[in-house]
Amino acid sequence: VTVAQQRQTSWAMNELPTHEFLAMYMVMITICGLTYSLKMYFTSPAMLKQAMKDVGVKLGKIGKTLKEIERKTFHLCGLLVPMIFALLLEAGYSKRFCSGICWFLTISGWTLDLARLNVKFVSDNFPLNPILREKEKTQLSGACYFSLGCTVAITLFPPAVAMTSILFLVLGDMSAALIGRSFGGDVVVVKLGREGKKSVEGSMAMFITCCIIGFTMFSTVHLREYPVIIGAAVATITELYEPFGLNDNLTIPLLSSLALTWGFARVHNCERENLVTGPLMWYNNH
């Protein structure tokens, strides 16, 4: 074992968030998210409209913002994925066991969604029809890509990195959508994204949200700001431009996990090494 490998192992074991910390962090985040969801569910549309007027949302944007709130409030249920993962790890279950559960649920979800697209009875009675986007009514839903993205991240990356990337997707993407719908174009008229429909305000909201998540998740890690900013930037750019034409529910967890892993590894090991023991592979020692 080389000195560099010993240093990597020591760093990973001493500074990465513990399973106990991850469980407490995820429970707290999930409780806050689900509390917000319940509040939105039981708040009347009239009160929501008035609240949006009070914070400065223009009248012409209120209708679309209300629809986006409905969609993204449901998406907060995605917080249950990293929370359950963290609780299972804290309870002593292996990462491999958790990954197996994720693959089972992902395959089941894809099977159900394919049935929705090809079996009229399933399509007519699908419980999530009211919140499907128009384009999702004739193609796989974002939930399928979300489950696959989470599953691959949990399988390939360290728990803390995988959970952070999922939070980037759930909370970062939600902040981009809500701020973009509410205030997009009010300050900066330039439009971004592949189709020129994304706003600077929404992208800044996502970047800031992802940074806050990363800074708090890796609060025990020295020089965390560098990899966190890299990961947040990758998540934001991925949401903007959807590289490779793939759904961002799949690409955000994967690319941001890769960026975080690379960033943390480079901070703690700048030596040139071969691929087997190089920076990108430090997590194999954890």
Side-chain angles (χ1 to χ4, degrees), residues 200-245:
V200 174
E201 292 90 341
S203 295
M204 286 304 301
M206 178 170 182
F207 178 74
I208 292 171
T209 300
C210 291
C211 283
I212 293 172
I213 292 168
F215 292 151
T216 53
M217 175 70 84
F218 296 102
S219 58
T220 59
V221 180
H222 184 53
L223 296 177
R224 63 190 177 279
E225 57 270 23
Y226 299 106
V228 166
I229 288 174
I230 292 171
V234 167
T236 303
I237 293 171
T238 301
E239 191 275 337
L240 266 178
Y241 292 102
E242 296 184 342
F244 316 116

Side-chain angles (χ1 to χ4, degrees), residues 50-219:
Q50 186 58 49
M52 283 186 281
K53 290 179 183 178
D54 292 341
V55 298
V57 179
K58 293 181 178 179
L59 188 62
K61 295 182 177 181
I62 289 179
K64 290 183 178 180
T65 302
L66 280 174
K67 184 65 176 178
E68 200 64 35
I69 288 175
E70 181 183 357
R71 283 181 49 79
K72 295 304 179 182
T73 297
F74 173 77
H75 285 186
L76 284 174
C77 294
L79 294 172
L80 293 171
V81 174
M83 186 196 76
I84 294 173
F85 179 34
L87 290 175
L88 287 174
L89 291 176
E90 173 63 12
Y93 291 93
S94 68
K95 176 182 167 182
R96 183 175 181 179
F97 174 81
C98 298
S99 176
I101 293 178
C102 288
W103 280 111
F104 172 78
L105 294 176
T106 296
I107 293 171
S108 300
W110 276 67
T111 301
L112 178 61
D113 212 36
L114 287 170
R116 173 181 66 85
L117 295 175
N118 295 283
V119 180
K120 189 177 187 304
F121 175 80
V122 178
S123 177
D124 292 341
N125 296 278
F126 195 67
L128 302 182
N129 279 334
I131 63 171
L132 289 176
R133 292 184 187 273
E134 194 61 35
K135 65 180 182 180
E136 290 178 327
K137 294 179 180 179
T138 56
Q139 63 187 39
L140 288 169
S141 68
C144 284
Y145 295 101
F146 173 80
S147 65
L148 182 60
C150 292
T151 298
V152 176
I154 288 171
T155 301
L156 297 181
F157 297 96
V161 169
M163 291 177 202
T164 301
S165 70
I166 296 171
L167 292 180
F168 282 3
L169 172 58
V170 176
L171 299 180
D173 184 63
M174 182 183 77
S175 63
L178 295 185
I179 297 298
R181 288 287 188 189
S182 301
F183 305 105
D186 290 358
V187 178
V188 182
V189 296
V190 176
K191 291 296 185 179
L192 306 173
R194 298 180 68 188
E195 300 177 356
K197 296 182 179 180
K198 304 293 181 70
S199 68
V200 174
E201 292 90 341
S203 295
M204 286 304 301
M206 178 170 182
F207 178 74
I208 292 171
T209 300
C210 291
C211 283
I212 293 172
I213 292 168
F215 292 151
T216 53
M217 175 70 84
F218 296 102
S219 58

